[in-house]
Amino acid sequence: ARADTVCGTLSSDTTWSSDVTLSCQVFVASGATLTINAGVTVYAYPDDGSGIAPALIILPGATIEASGSASAPITFTTGVTQDTATGRGLWGGLIVMGNAPVYQGTQEVEGITGQTYGGNDATESSGTLEYVRVWHGGSVIGENNEINGITLAGVGSGTTVRYCEVAFNLDDGFEMFGGTVNLKYISVLFVGDDAIDTDEGYQGMIQFAYVMIGASGNHGVEMDSKGSASPRSFPQLYSATFVHHLEGNPESVSSDDQFDATLRLREGTGGEFGNIIVTNVPNVGVLQNECGSETRTHTLPSSGAPDYLWFSPQNIIYGATGISAFDNQDSCASGGLSSARIQDPMLTLMPGTADEDTDFIDPRPKSGSPAYSSFDDTPSDSFYSTTQYMGAFDTDLWVSGWSWLSDNSRILSDAAAGADTVCGTLSSDTTW
């Protein structure tokens, strides 16, 4: 039985040690810590009865400590029991707000009324999200007002976000509004709009990101700034794999655009993008529009952040015959991005039409893949793990055991992960 029902504001330290149901929007107040034990499931519904989507909101100055494990992840999902395997918009989402710098000092968070975030504490900690899964959210509560899977709004770099997943959200997967929070080992599966969205001066690091867009999803990333205003967004994304769909066509009711591009960089964003694989591209690999004064370059500058946008020429873009690797529009037409490796990344098992109903996938590169050549140096910051390959995976299938893909038998079991892959005819004596 789903024991405890929670609604309203948590003003003192609280621990959820067993499953709970959110019957309305639950706020954790400044000064309070919410601890969620490993293995707990948090349920919610599309509507609290008054047109408001239940969600969990960590207010600035509050803390969430949600540390699951691969064998006992923490799951946020819908309480709806019918037709939920791939359902979207069936509850709200998880929102964490902090006091780190954002555009114009403070902002009101998307999807919630009357709550603001932002400040001047770039290193603030809002707690820990580790082995946290957020599924089937994004309830639409008004035109252009939806809740993302995991919203990190003005969240500081002292916060830990590792091994987290958003699957089947109606709106975006992870959205970072300003702040400096870093993310590592994140998975985004089949969301309706953008998998990873950054805006309002976000200046954080992301490493090991795996995204499956599907036929009806929108962008793998939509990374914005506010023209040349300060702070300029400067996401630093390394070691990512984006899997689109060769017949993809964005269909989300929540999207603010229908541009058919796998990655979208716009509105003057800076940033660094290295060791990235973009595959199954149906039309455009990287779309740029509404550029500002940032320098757009394929040569990594030694200084000048956040006022440059570097896209490694070693990044791999691959897809349908006749695709455009880059589409530089309006103010981006002059000096826009133009260079990448147009090569098959040779993923172990990845159909061109990989989608939510695909029986089985393996996103790791095969031996001999171009992912193992001409990779970029890993940045020197201690946040990053040193890699010698492109994309989110080497031989370690780090989504195994806790992802939606694992729960639904779409990837190798933990026992099989890392084993040699065999295909074809053995014409001579062979020993396994």
Side-chain angles (χ1 to χ4, degrees):
R2 296 172 190 167
D4 298 330
T5 298
V6 182
C7 180
T9 300
L10 306 179
S11 300
S12 59
D13 294 352
T14 303
T15 298
W16 293 346
S17 57
S18 59
D19 296 352
V20 301
T21 297
L22 309 180
S23 60
C24 73
Q25 290 185 345
V26 174
F27 296 85
V28 182
S30 178
T33 296
L34 171 62
T35 300
I36 306 176
N37 288 351
V40 166
T41 297
V42 179
Y43 298 94
Y45 292 90
D47 189 323
D48 67 356
S50 62
I52 297 175
L56 177 62
I57 303 101
I58 313 301
L59 295 175
T63 303
I64 180 171
E65 294 295 341
S67 295
S69 66
S71 59
I74 294 166
T75 306
F76 291 80
T77 190
T78 181
V80 177
T81 57
Q82 295 180 340
D83 301 323
T84 59
T86 58
R88 299 169 178 84
L90 299 177
W91 70 288
L94 172 60
I95 299 173
V96 183
M97 305 164 65
N99 294 298
V102 302
Y103 171 67
Q104 292 186 333
T106 59
Q107 296 285 341
E108 183 171 301
V109 75
E110 183 177 272
I112 301 294
T113 301
Q115 299 294 339
T116 60
Y117 59 89
N120 56 16
D121 190 350
T123 61
E124 180 187 45
S125 174
S126 294
T128 301
L129 300 176
E130 191 166 25
Y131 287 104
V132 171
R133 316 184 295 188
V134 178
W135 296 348
H136 308 299
S139 181
V140 178
I141 59 177
E143 186 176 359
N144 296 320
N145 193 9
E146 311 84 20
I147 299 177
N148 305 301
I150 297 179
T151 299
L152 301 169
V155 174
S157 62
T159 308
T160 297
V161 181
R162 301 174 70 248
Y163 295 103
C164 291
E165 176 172 272
V166 177
F168 299 99
N169 203 72
L170 185 62
D171 196 34
D172 298 332
F174 290 82
E175 176 132 20
M176 281 69 78
F177 292 110
T180 53
V181 63
N182 304 316
L183 297 83
K184 201 167 188 176
Y185 300 108
I186 62 171
S187 166
V188 189
L189 307 174
F190 311 116
V191 300
D193 198 5
D194 308 313
I196 303 171
D197 197 327
T198 61
D199 201 354
E200 296 180 359
Y202 170 70
Q203 296 185 353
M205 298 175 283
I206 305 170
Q207 189 182 27
F208 305 123
Y210 179 56
V211 171
M212 297 193 74
I213 297 172
S216 60
N218 203 354
H219 308 301
V221 303
E222 182 178 83
M223 294 184 162
D224 310 339
S225 195
K226 298 298 179 188
S228 298
S230 181
R232 187 191 297 277
S233 296
F234 194 75
Q236 297 139 76
L237 175 62
Y238 287 81
S239 303
T241 299
F242 296 91
V243 179
H244 209 149
H245 187 292
L246 291 179
E247 300 172 2
N249 183 31
E251 297 177 4
S252 176
V253 298
S254 73
S255 178
D256 63 354
D257 75 76
Q258 299 294 311
F259 289 107
D260 188 5
T262 305
L263 307 184
R264 188 183 189 193
L265 309 175
R266 66 174 186 172
E267 295 182 352
T269 189
E272 296 180 2
F273 299 84
N275 286 336
I276 292 173
I277 293 173
V278 184
T279 192
N280 291 357
V281 174
N283 189 12
V284 174
V286 181
L287 170 67
Q288 271 203 288
N289 64 329
E290 301 178 63
C291 289
S293 60
E294 76 284 354
T295 299
R296 298 174 294 282
T297 179
H298 294 292
T299 301
L300 181 61
S302 59
S303 62
D307 294 324
Y308 65 81
L309 173 60
W310 172 71
F311 190 89
S312 171
Q314 306 304 330
N315 291 336
I316 294 171
I317 299 176
Y318 185 74
T321 301
I323 65 167
S324 298
F326 297 91
D327 182 4
N328 301 312
Q329 299 183 357
D330 50 68
S331 56
C332 305
S334 176
L337 301 175
S338 60
S339 182
R341 287 192 286 168
I342 313 303
Q343 292 180 278
D344 183 352
M346 296 172 57
L347 304 186
T348 297
L349 183 58
M350 190 60 65
T353 54
D355 211 340
E356 60 197 49
D357 58 355
T358 299
D359 289 335
F360 194 82
I361 59 101
D362 187 339
R364 295 172 295 180
K366 297 177 183 177
S367 176
S369 163
Y372 291 114
S373 64
S374 301
F375 45 81
D376 300 301
D377 291 337
T378 308
S380 59
D381 191 282
S382 61
F383 165 80
Y384 293 103
S385 299
T386 300
T387 62
Q388 294 184 324
Y389 55 90
M390 314 287 293
F393 303 99
D394 184 13
T395 57
D396 175 23
L397 193 61
W398 49 260
V399 290
S400 184
W402 63 277
S403 166
W404 181 92
L405 296 167
S406 191
D407 276 18
N408 289 272
S409 302
R410 305 299 173 89
I411 57 176
L412 289 171
S413 67
D414 289 334
D420 292 336
T421 300
V422 182
C423 179
T425 300
L426 306 179
S427 301
S428 59
D429 294 347
T430 304
T431 299
W432 290 347

